[in-house]
Amino acid sequence: MYAGQRVHPDELIGKARLSVAEMTNLIAAMVSDLPSVRSVAVDDAGGEINVDLVTGKRIGIAAIPVARAMNESMNSRLQALDDLFKRCAA
C-alpha cells in the first residue's frame, strides 16, 4: 500500500456500496494483515493489487471483476473477501 496511506476497513466494510478505489483499498488493507503476506502494492485508480507472499509467490488481484459481488450484498462481500484470503494463504 502507499506509504502513509490510512485505510479504515471497519468504515468501508459497512458501506452499502463501494467505489472501485474504496473497494481496492478495502481489499488491500484486509489482505495486508494476513501473516502470509509480505507486502501489498495498490493502484486504486486502476483497481489493481499486487500481493507478495512470504513464500516468494506474487498474486495479482483485479478489484474491478470482484465489484459485482462486493456491492451485491454484505454476504457476497464477506464471501468475496474470504475467497481472496484463502487465495493469499498459500
Side-chain angles (χ1 to χ4, degrees):
M1 295 175 57
Y2 299 122
Q5 182 180 12
R6 290 241 180 239
V7 175
H8 301 283
D10 295 337
E11 292 174 16
L12 291 177
I13 195 77
K15 283 184 74 173
R17 303 218 23 106
L18 297 172
S19 69
V20 172
E22 288 172 325
M23 187 181 323
T24 303
N25 286 316
L26 171 63
I27 292 168
M30 295 185 86
V31 167
S32 69
D33 287 340
L34 297 173
S36 59
V37 173
R38 180 181 309 150
S39 66
V40 178
V42 177
D43 171 12
D44 58 348
E48 296 292 325
I49 304 167
N50 289 306
V51 180
D52 289 321
L53 302 177
V54 294
T55 61
K57 184 178 175 182
R58 176 173 247 186
I59 297 172
I61 300 170
I64 294 172
V66 193
R68 182 172 290 142
M70 293 287 283
N71 280 328
E72 189 174 287
S73 70
M74 185 56 72
N75 286 339
S76 294
R77 181 176 297 177
L78 296 174
Q79 181 62 48
L81 286 170
D82 188 53
D83 292 345
L84 290 170
F85 293 161
K86 288 177 184 172
R87 197 171 156 206
C88 292

